[in-house]
Amino acid sequence: MSLAIIGFVLMIILMYVLIREKLSPIIAFIILPLIAAIVAGFGITEIAGFIETGMETMLSTVILFAFSISYFSLMSEVGLFDPIINFLVKKTGKNMFTIFMAIVMVTFVAHLDGSGATTFLIVVPAFLPICKKYGIRPQALLGAMMGAFATMNILPWGGPTMRAATVANVETGDLYSFMIPAVIVIILIAFCIAYVVYLIEKKNGAGIIAEGSDSFEDNAVAEKTNRNQNIYWFNLILTAVMLILLFMDLAFPLYAIFMIAFAIALVVNFPNVKDQSKKIKLYGTNAMVMCMTLFAVGVFMGVISGSGMVEAMATAIVNILPAGIAPHMHWFMALFSVPLMMMLGTDAFYYALLPIIIGVVEPFGVSPEVVAATFLLTATFGTFVSPSVAAVYVGLGLAEVSIGDHIKYSLRLVWPVSILVLILSTIIGVIKF
């Protein structure tokens, strides 16, 4: 059986068990790729190498997740976000629409550095409490971020644009300038996605705050803040400094910043050693399930990448299509760029699939720049719904949402708008049919 067929069967089964919740993600990401590797004929030594490689690529993300979750759990417990939440509630009143517009705008700013993990770390802890207050489901918070993620993910210094520009042999700045009219379309669509999420949540019954809850919580926050005024301001300054450092291009890895910040915050807020031990155990327990999931994803990524399944699938996809559509292959492939991104992951999508498509259509007068723009503008919507993107699990852990629920909620939003962007970008001339 060919590697491509095994890879496709693996991805179909994986998506099925995740969305239908037939298996725990941890079990699915470990067992299924191992079975696939064995069926493909790889030996124990080769599979062990795949796993080791996958673990190495996932280690920094797991550390980042463990300490970021612990840090924000601590800050939530000591009431850092309470005044912000109540301020937003007072300003928005009963208007959930304003909340969703704020989510989009904050995501725009937070994703300026191009790091999906950093963006989740900034946006989710800030808005999750207020979403809970209004009865907005956490997967809706993630869904509302998807449009802004798509817009900012293709900035000239973003990973996808650099990958695509490298493959197409063009400057990243030139590629982005070429796409700007379509980027404006995506910006508008980002707000439209948030509005659709608002309508979905309103229909689901969100937006009702229990009578008297505002005044009760305001008093509780005021009492907490007055009792620990100095510590509160210390926590606020520490968090602000930490977030600024996340945006700066430092030699320090992101996870080291969170490790240091968590250690400082724990000592200041809980000076007693016994209390510190209790909190570490509590926060560690909360983070453990997602850390295990991330390591399991490392097994999955190591196997499908190291075995060559991803490259085989990319080649097979191109070969399956009828020869008659060869001049327009980039356009027809872009119709499925979201699920392809979810299956292949960012690196394989741009380094394995994109060069093949460029080679097919270039003889028909379609420039590599156009092909790169086509895939960037459409596939960007699938990046942060993909189970193959490690940063997604940081957001899932913060929001306490399963990968299956996230895909079920957000895929119905991002895939249609990806096709809409393809059509609109073709009309305005950025994408050539």
Side-chain angles (χ1 to χ4, degrees):
M1 192 180 297
S2 72
L3 272 178
I5 294 174
I6 294 171
F8 285 125
V9 172
L10 168 62
M11 296 306 302
I12 291 169
I13 294 175
L14 181 69
M15 290 293 182
Y16 174 78
V17 299
L18 290 177
I19 294 174
R20 303 291 295 181
E21 297 181 353
K22 298 295 183 180
L23 284 177
S24 162
I26 295 173
I27 296 173
F29 282 122
I30 294 174
I31 300 299
L32 295 180
L34 292 182
I35 293 173
I38 292 170
V39 172
F42 292 100
I44 294 176
T45 303
E46 292 170 304
I47 294 174
F50 301 156
I51 294 173
E52 287 179 9
T53 302
M55 290 297 103
E56 290 171 3
T57 60
M58 201 58 64
L59 185 59
S60 61
T61 302
V62 175
I63 300 172
L64 170 65
F65 176 82
F67 281 93
S68 63
I69 287 290
S70 299
Y71 181 84
F72 285 115
S73 296
L74 189 158
M75 289 299 153
S76 179
E77 181 177 342
V78 298
L80 175 66
F81 305 112
D82 291 347
I84 302 170
I85 296 163
N86 282 275
F87 172 79
L88 287 173
V89 170
K90 287 178 180 177
K91 290 296 181 181
T92 59
K94 303 289 184 180
N95 190 355
M96 283 199 307
F97 174 76
T98 309
I99 296 172
F100 283 109
M101 294 301 106
I103 290 171
V104 174
M105 289 185 284
V106 174
T107 305
F108 276 134
V109 176
H111 204 43
L112 277 168
D113 68 340
S115 169
T118 302
T119 306
F120 281 125
L121 289 165
I122 293 171
V123 178
V124 176
F127 284 95
L128 184 60
I130 192 171
C131 286
K132 289 181 177 178
K133 190 180 184 76
Y134 276 89
I136 298 169
R137 291 172 290 181
Q139 53 265 46
L141 167 57
L142 300 179
M145 297 172 65
M146 292 300 106
F149 258 131
T151 305
M152 306 304 286
N153 204 42
I154 56 175
L155 288 170
W157 53 87
T161 305
M162 289 183 180
R163 292 179 180 92
T166 300
V167 171
N169 197 26
V170 296
E171 292 293 328
T172 54
D174 293 340
L175 178 58
Y176 189 77
S177 297
F178 175 74
M179 296 190 299
I180 283 179
V183 172
I184 294 172
V185 172
I186 295 180
I187 292 173
L188 297 175
I189 284 178
F191 288 99
C192 293
I193 291 174
Y195 179 68
V196 172
V197 174
Y198 156 71
L199 294 177
I200 292 172
E201 292 306 293
K202 186 176 180 181
K203 185 177 180 180
N204 194 55
I208 301 174
I209 303 176
E211 290 296 328
S213 64
D214 292 348
S215 59
F216 172 80
E217 291 183 17
D218 286 347
N219 293 335
V221 170
E223 182 180 346
K224 185 188 293 184
T225 304
N226 290 333
R227 191 167 56 240
N228 304 289
Q229 189 73 29
N230 292 333
I231 293 180
Y232 176 83
W233 285 109
F234 175 84
N235 289 334
L236 184 62
I237 293 170
L238 175 64
T239 304
V241 170
M242 184 191 70
L243 294 177
I244 291 171
L245 292 176
L246 292 177
F247 275 102
M248 298 175 66
D249 187 18
L250 301 176
F252 254 50
L254 293 182
Y255 61 78
I257 296 173
F258 271 102
M259 291 173 74
I260 296 168
F262 175 69
I264 294 171
L266 192 63
V267 170
V268 172
N269 287 274
F270 302 99
N272 186 281
V273 176
K274 289 185 178 180
D275 290 338
Q276 292 172 12
S277 298
K278 288 179 182 177
K279 295 304 174 185
I280 290 172
K281 183 177 180 180
L282 173 65
Y283 303 144
T285 301
N286 293 340
M288 181 54 66
V289 173
M290 191 55 67
C291 287
M292 292 176 68
T293 302
L294 283 167
F295 278 128
V297 172
V299 175
F300 168 73
M301 293 304 298
V303 169
I304 67 169
S305 299
S307 66
M309 287 183 197
V310 169
E311 291 80 3
M313 285 191 290
T315 304
I317 289 168
V318 175
N319 293 336
I320 289 171
L321 295 173
I325 68 168
H328 317 289
M329 185 172 288
H330 64 296
W331 202 94
F332 287 106
M333 291 293 291
L335 292 170
F336 305 96
S337 61
V338 166
L340 287 172
M341 172 62 73
M342 293 173 66
M343 285 196 298
L344 301 176
T346 309
D347 285 341
F349 186 89
Y350 290 108
Y351 289 140
L353 182 61
L354 180 58
I356 298 172
I357 304 300
I358 288 175
V360 171
V361 301
E362 195 169 12
F364 297 96
V366 182
S367 70
E369 184 180 49
V370 169
V371 181
T374 302
F375 278 87
L376 281 169
L377 292 168
T378 56
T380 185
F381 288 95
T383 304
F384 290 98
V385 190
S386 172
S388 302
V389 175
V392 171
Y393 293 91
V394 176
L396 296 177
L398 290 166
E400 299 179 355
V401 173
S402 71
I403 182 66
D405 286 342
H406 178 46
I407 292 173
K408 279 190 288 186
Y409 194 98
S410 296
L411 182 58
R412 58 179 171 169
L413 302 170
V414 297
W415 194 359
V417 299
S418 171
I419 296 173
L420 177 61
V421 167
L422 174 65
I423 295 170
L424 293 176
S425 299
T426 304
I427 292 173
I428 62 179
V430 174
I431 294 175
K432 179 181 178 181
F433 177 69

